[in-house]
Amino acid sequence: MKPHVELKDFWERRLESDWTESGVGYKALGRAFNIWMYRVRAEGFRREAGTLGLDLPTARVLDVGSGTGFYVRLWRELGAGSVTGSDLTQAAVERLRARFPKSSFLQLDIAEPGDALEPGSFDAVSAMDMLFHITDDDRYRAALRTIGEAVKPGGVFVLSENFLQRPEERSDYQVNRTLPWITKALDEAGFDVVRRVPMLVLMNAQVDGQPLWRKLWGGLLRAVTLTEVTGWLAGAALYPVERRLVRVLRESPTTEFMICRRR
């Protein structure tokens, strides 16, 4: 496991050089394919956020790990009254402030935020596709505690994770943890799980699939995304299938949404 300072430097360099969908997404598959993936993510997020019961015009929202501001934009499109973004990197925060002048942005480490976040000040928090990049388990739990303290009692937490139902998988820049481990950590942070639904099904690494399927599908995705043109065509072909699958399936072999409520 790499030290935290090396991980921060990795993301600083990555977002400085590629502040696009591929920089914050599945970089190996190219930007064109990632654009289609993010279209599916956007539809799912709008659908799930629309069921949270928030009074959006008066809601205060915090987005953790904002990256390019994709979910900041979605919260604003949904009508959230106040959206605060945050990111670990200076590269992202400087650009986010220019892109979204009506929102505020904090450069902070969610596992060690200091006094940057007022306790109980947000009606909703989102942390999308970023928690699995916290490779240290203690820091992961600390991040959830920070989020739990920032959300009002009765407020909501929307996250995306891989929620493995097989043994965890660790690498230098990502840890795919198990559903029971994450659920326990959320409970310790004061959250009750409301529901878990697919975010993606086929348009991402099959991290919770059978080993042979994972290798075959992963190889196929990389092959069809070797160029931006073929990546765009592959994304366009999979997009209508993916839209259907995320609606009809109850579980996914890859990233899922989870909705939690603060006790």
Side-chain angles (χ1 to χ4, degrees), residues 20-127:
T20 70
E21 293 85 354
S22 62
V24 296
Y26 194 162
K27 192 174 182 68
L29 301 184
R31 185 184 181 193
F33 190 81
N34 272 276
I35 287 172
W36 287 103
M37 292 171 69
Y38 272 92
R39 289 183 181 180
V40 178
R41 286 181 169 101
E43 291 182 16
F45 185 84
R46 292 188 191 100
R47 186 167 56 249
E48 292 305 311
T51 67
L52 298 177
L54 295 171
D55 180 12
L56 281 168
T58 65
R60 294 190 66 199
V61 175
L62 171 67
D63 182 58
V64 179
S66 296
T68 62
F70 183 81
Y71 294 98
V72 171
R73 177 175 60 81
L74 292 180
W75 278 119
R76 294 191 64 86
E77 289 177 356
L78 288 164
S82 170
V83 183
T84 299
S86 67
D87 201 89
L88 180 65
T89 69
Q90 181 179 355
V93 170
E94 288 180 350
R95 294 173 178 178
L96 287 164
R97 287 170 177 163
R99 176 173 285 182
F100 301 96
K102 293 183 179 180
S103 292
S104 59
F105 292 91
L106 306 170
Q107 184 182 354
L108 61 81
D109 179 345
I110 195 62
E112 298 180 87
D115 58 359
L117 300 173
E118 181 182 350
S121 57
F122 294 98
D123 301 284
V125 175
S126 53

Side-chain angles (χ1 to χ4, degrees), residues 177-198:
R177 296 175 173 87
T178 67
L179 174 62
W181 192 97
I182 296 170
T183 303
K184 180 180 179 183
L186 285 163
D187 178 67
E188 291 170 351
F191 289 107
D192 293 324
V193 175
V194 178
R195 65 181 175 278
R196 175 174 53 90
V197 298

Side-chain angles (χ1 to χ4, degrees), residues 103-208:
S103 292
S104 59
F105 292 91
L106 306 170
Q107 184 182 354
L108 61 81
D109 179 345
I110 195 62
E112 298 180 87
D115 58 359
L117 300 173
E118 181 182 350
S121 57
F122 294 98
D123 301 284
V125 175
S126 53
M128 312 305 296
D129 293 344
M130 56 77 56
L131 287 167
F132 43 59
H133 293 305
I134 303 176
T135 57
D136 181 276
D137 289 347
D138 289 338
R139 293 183 65 82
Y140 189 106
R141 285 188 288 259
L144 292 185
R145 287 195 298 271
T146 297
I147 293 168
E149 291 167 359
V151 180
K152 296 177 181 178
V156 295
F157 177 33
V158 186
L159 66 149
S160 63
E161 257 283 9
N162 288 321
F163 302 113
L164 295 192
Q165 298 188 63
R166 63 175 185 84
E168 71 175 18
E169 183 178 73
R170 291 180 175 266
S171 65
D172 284 342
Y173 301 107
Q174 182 166 324
V175 175
N176 297 321
R177 296 175 173 87
T178 67
L179 174 62
W181 192 97
I182 296 170
T183 303
K184 180 180 179 183
L186 285 163
D187 178 67
E188 291 170 351
F191 289 107
D192 293 324
V193 175
V194 178
R195 65 181 175 278
R196 175 174 53 90
V197 298
M199 171 189 262
L200 297 165
V201 178
L202 294 176
M203 296 182 79
N204 204 358
Q206 305 289 283
V207 293
D208 208 19

